[in-house]
Amino acid sequence: AVGNDALLLGLGALPDSGQIHHEYWRLLTAGFLHYDLTHVALNILLLLLVGPVVERHAGTTWLLLIFLSGSVASCAGMLVKHLFLPSPGVSLGASGGLFALLGAGLVLVFRLPSQSRLVRLRLIVVLVVGLTYSILPGISMIGHIAGLVVGATIALVIPLNPTIADAQALSSR
């Protein structure tokens, strides 16, 4: 289905017409589809840069919860946008969930004062590059922002154990 909107729509992508005809499952499935190999590669890179930070500080369960919540919120944001501004094509991809992990990672490393400046700087650079990339045609800024906000919000309620996080930070330096 690479690059084929009709086939991707059949697999669960969101139609950019904004009409999902009560097929709300598309809010979940669209986050697991990718348009082409470049799309997959960029999302893998983002996951490799951000995922370990979130998993280290919040654990696997929180990582999965943040990713799925961010992905669904991202798809919902894109759907609302397309209800008001319909266009041809489809929306899909994991970047909304990955931006949720980025938002969570930023909040987590700034909640713990002992965190390495290098980790903080890396996440800030990823944020700036990601948001800059989001202004390109065919990229969903609203999907990225929705994921970012959801991830950051969830990270604010994650209980932290500073002694464990401090020990992990020291061992990773």
Side-chain angles (χ1 to χ4, degrees):
V2 172
N4 184 322
D5 288 354
L7 289 175
L8 289 165
L9 193 60
L11 292 172
L14 285 171
D16 286 351
S17 66
Q19 303 302 313
I20 61 170
H21 307 290
H22 301 288
E23 296 176 339
Y24 301 108
W25 49 269
R26 291 181 181 279
L27 296 172
L28 182 63
T29 58
F32 291 96
L33 297 172
H34 290 81
Y35 199 74
D36 57 22
L37 188 57
T38 302
H39 192 191
V40 172
L42 288 172
N43 280 336
I44 289 171
L45 177 62
L46 185 54
L47 179 61
L48 290 173
L49 291 169
V50 176
V53 174
V54 175
E55 187 173 27
R56 185 177 317 116
H57 296 297
T60 306
T61 302
W62 280 106
L63 180 136
L64 292 172
L65 177 70
I66 292 165
F67 175 81
L68 289 173
S69 300
S71 184
V72 170
S74 172
C75 289
M78 290 186 290
L79 178 62
V80 169
K81 175 196 173 219
H82 291 301
L83 284 170
F84 293 103
L85 299 168
S87 63
V90 296
S91 293
L92 42 76
S95 56
L98 295 170
F99 267 78
L101 292 177
L102 176 57
L106 283 162
V107 168
L108 290 169
V109 298
F110 279 96
R111 281 181 66 193
L112 295 168
S114 64
Q115 290 307 289
S116 162
R117 285 186 179 151
L118 185 60
V119 173
R120 289 178 179 169
L121 181 61
R122 182 179 78 201
L123 291 181
I124 290 169
V125 168
V126 170
L127 175 65
V128 170
V129 170
L131 291 177
T132 302
Y133 181 76
S134 299
I135 64 174
L136 295 174
I139 308 300
S140 177
M141 174 68 86
I142 195 161
H144 292 171
I145 297 294
L148 191 69
V149 168
V150 165
T153 303
I154 292 172
L156 289 171
V157 301
I158 294 174
L160 295 179
N161 185 340
T163 55
I164 293 173
D166 289 343
Q168 289 174 341
L170 290 173
S171 68
S172 68
R173 289 184 187 181

